[in-house]
Amino acid sequence: MRNVTRGTAVLATLAALSFGVSACGSSSKSDSGAGSSSGSSAAGSAAASTGGGGGSSSSSVTFGFMGALTGPNAQLGINIKNGAKLAIDQYDASNPSVKIVLKDYDTTGDPAQASALAPKVVDDKVAAVIGPAFSGESKTADPTLEEAKIPNISASATNALLSKNGWKFWHRVLANDDVQGPGVAKFIVGALGAKKVAVIDDQSEYGKGLADVVTKTIGSAATVKDSIDPKADDYSSTVNKIKGGSVDAIFYGGYYAEAAKFLKQLRDGGVTAKFVSGDGALDQKLIDGAKSAAEGAFLSCTCVLATASDDPAVQKFIDDYTKAYGTSPATYSAEGFDAATALIKAVQAGKTSPGDINTFLGTVDFKGVSKPIKFAADGELTSGSVYMHEVKDGKIIALGDYTTAKPQ
């Protein structure tokens, strides 16, 4: 099912990416934390040298996927994994001399689980990792991957501090919260005209980090500040604080599962202020959970969502993804595809050891289906912007770049 309709002014300097939001992706669960493999191994062909260091045989190389495939916010991880697997399956179908096996490591979105799985990833001698998906699990798992010198590319972890660790094997394929936070904050006080804003977070590495940037950007307009416990069911204390503050808008830093509960309780409590959240809440599951309370919510992302594209490569991705999974691409699906593509390009260049792949990533420069992919020395992309979306008539529509986006 297609749950995203075409918005206006969707594309700025990025490639004309368009893809829908849905909650129907398929998942592969790891086996007792040991991971499970998808994709196929090559038979018979002589392959390029692995260069040593793990992850490869003479005819195949193994990549890992680290992210939530189960748990309350699993859909975001499933979207990434599906995008990555599509790229790998298409590569393997071309009958290359070195095929790629994708092995899953289900973190459930829990930083502790990600940390526990990281040594397993090392022991399995994977050549590279797509992930970790979320910022909290990136913070806990990446030190182990860095020590083992395993290159990794996150399709969705946006906490700005991740690139400040001096890591040499870490990368991400979207702009960070030092880009997203100011962009969505300026939309709140600009396009929405909010004078008094409640800024709420879920205490996660991602949610608090993004909320803190929003607070810093809007300054004195942040008149209410609070945090919720994502494991709780009752947010009435925070709802009452917001109601008493008579705010014009609410920004929530966190993921869609808790955002849905929180938004429903806000509306049930009589709070009518505009609700705004970031990429962690940009999913059809937000609407499924909050029902009519989600109507009129605004969601930011350093990605663009729509249903069609004038770019043939992007439209092919949309069509291929829909055919493979029976549903349109969703949040981070294209980033997952692009992250895998960067690693595939390394294998195509004969780089199959972790060290050689990582060195190659420093040279990639290609037009992805989500955006141009080129890494700076710290693993960040060299460009990026913020795009706004709105829930309208039970669907997520793209409004375009935050500098020109207007409520529908």
Side-chain angles (χ1 to χ4, degrees):
M1 68 186 164
R2 291 181 178 269
N3 294 310
V4 179
T5 59
R6 193 175 183 85
T8 59
V10 173
L11 302 179
T13 58
L14 301 183
L17 169 65
S18 309
F19 53 100
V21 171
S22 125
C24 305
S26 62
S27 65
S28 296
K29 298 180 182 179
S30 45
D31 181 10
S32 301
S36 59
S37 297
S38 57
S40 59
S41 299
S45 298
S49 170
T50 68
S56 305
S57 70
S58 61
S59 59
S60 70
V61 61
T62 299
F63 294 161
F65 168 76
M66 289 189 75
L69 295 174
T70 59
N73 294 295
Q75 193 60 51
L76 298 175
I78 292 169
N79 297 342
I80 299 167
K81 188 271 180 82
N82 284 351
K85 187 174 184 298
L86 177 64
I88 291 169
D89 286 350
Q90 290 178 343
Y91 164 79
D92 281 346
S94 70
N95 195 31
S97 59
V98 179
K99 289 197 173 184
I100 297 172
V101 175
L102 183 63
K103 190 164 189 175
D104 298 337
Y105 299 89
D106 181 8
T107 65
T108 72
D110 181 356
Q113 175 73 353
S115 178
L117 280 175
K120 176 61 178 173
V121 176
V122 176
D123 290 344
D124 286 346
K125 299 187 183 301
V126 302
V129 169
I130 299 161
F134 297 165
S135 294
E137 59 192 24
S138 294
K139 181 180 179 180
T140 61
D142 268 303
T144 300
L145 301 181
E146 182 73 15
E147 183 178 4
K149 298 183 178 180
I150 298 174
N152 53 99
I153 307 176
S154 179
S156 54
T158 56
N159 185 278
L161 295 178
L162 292 174
S163 62
K164 310 299 184 185
N165 292 296
W167 293 332
K168 303 301 182 184
F169 290 79
W170 172 91
H171 312 76
R172 60 177 152 209
V173 290
L174 74 174
N176 67 41
D177 289 337
D178 279 349
V179 175
Q180 181 174 200
V184 67
K186 291 173 183 176
F187 176 81
I188 292 170
V189 298
L192 298 186
K195 305 298 183 185
K196 299 170 68 177
V197 182
V199 181
I200 314 298
D201 68 73
D202 67 349
Q203 305 180 63
S204 71
E205 196 74 16
Y206 157 72
K208 185 178 186 305
L210 180 56
D212 286 349
V213 176
V214 170
T215 298
K216 180 180 179 180
T217 304
I218 64 176
S220 61
T223 55
V224 176
K225 188 77 168 67
D226 201 12
S227 298
I228 65 168
D229 178 357
K231 296 181 180 179
D233 292 321
D234 183 2
Y235 303 142
S236 58
S237 174
T238 299
V239 171
N240 289 335
K241 286 182 182 179
I242 293 171
K243 193 171 184 178
S246 301
V247 300
D248 307 307
I250 302 157
F251 178 81
Y252 174 70
Y255 295 99
Y256 64 75
E258 295 74 35
K261 291 189 295 182
F262 181 40
L263 183 47
K264 191 172 188 304
Q265 291 180 36
L266 283 167
R267 299 308 185 223
D268 288 346
V271 178
T272 59
K274 297 178 178 67
F275 184 86
V276 186
S277 192
D279 54 313
L282 181 61
D283 193 271
Q284 177 65 29
K285 292 277 192 178
L286 173 71
I287 302 170
D288 294 345
K291 307 298 184 186
S292 61
E295 189 70 13
F298 297 94
L299 305 165
S300 65
C301 192
T302 51
C303 57
V304 180
L305 303 182
T307 57
S309 176
D310 296 328
D311 185 324
V314 178
Q315 187 59 52
K316 182 179 186 303
F317 163 72
I318 296 168
D319 293 343
D320 290 347
Y321 188 103
T322 302
K323 181 179 179 180
Y325 301 111
T327 185
S328 301
T331 308
Y332 306 139
S333 296
E335 281 76 11
F337 186 92
D338 285 343
T341 298
L343 297 173
I344 289 168
K345 286 181 178 293
V347 175
Q348 289 173 323
K351 315 300 182 183
T352 56
S353 70
D356 286 348
I357 291 173
N358 194 65
T359 298
F360 183 86
L361 290 178
T363 71
V364 297
D365 186 357
F366 66 94
K367 182 181 179 182
V369 296
S370 70
K371 59 184 73 68
I373 305 298
K374 182 178 182 180
F375 298 113
D378 61 359
E380 296 277 16
L381 286 183
T382 57
S383 63
S385 190
V386 183
Y387 296 86
M388 295 305 304
H389 310 80
E390 182 179 357
V391 177
K392 190 78 171 176
D393 298 327
K395 299 177 181 178
I396 298 175
I397 64 171
L399 303 179
D401 189 283
Y402 80 95
T403 58
T404 57
K406 301 293 182 184
Q408 295 294 297

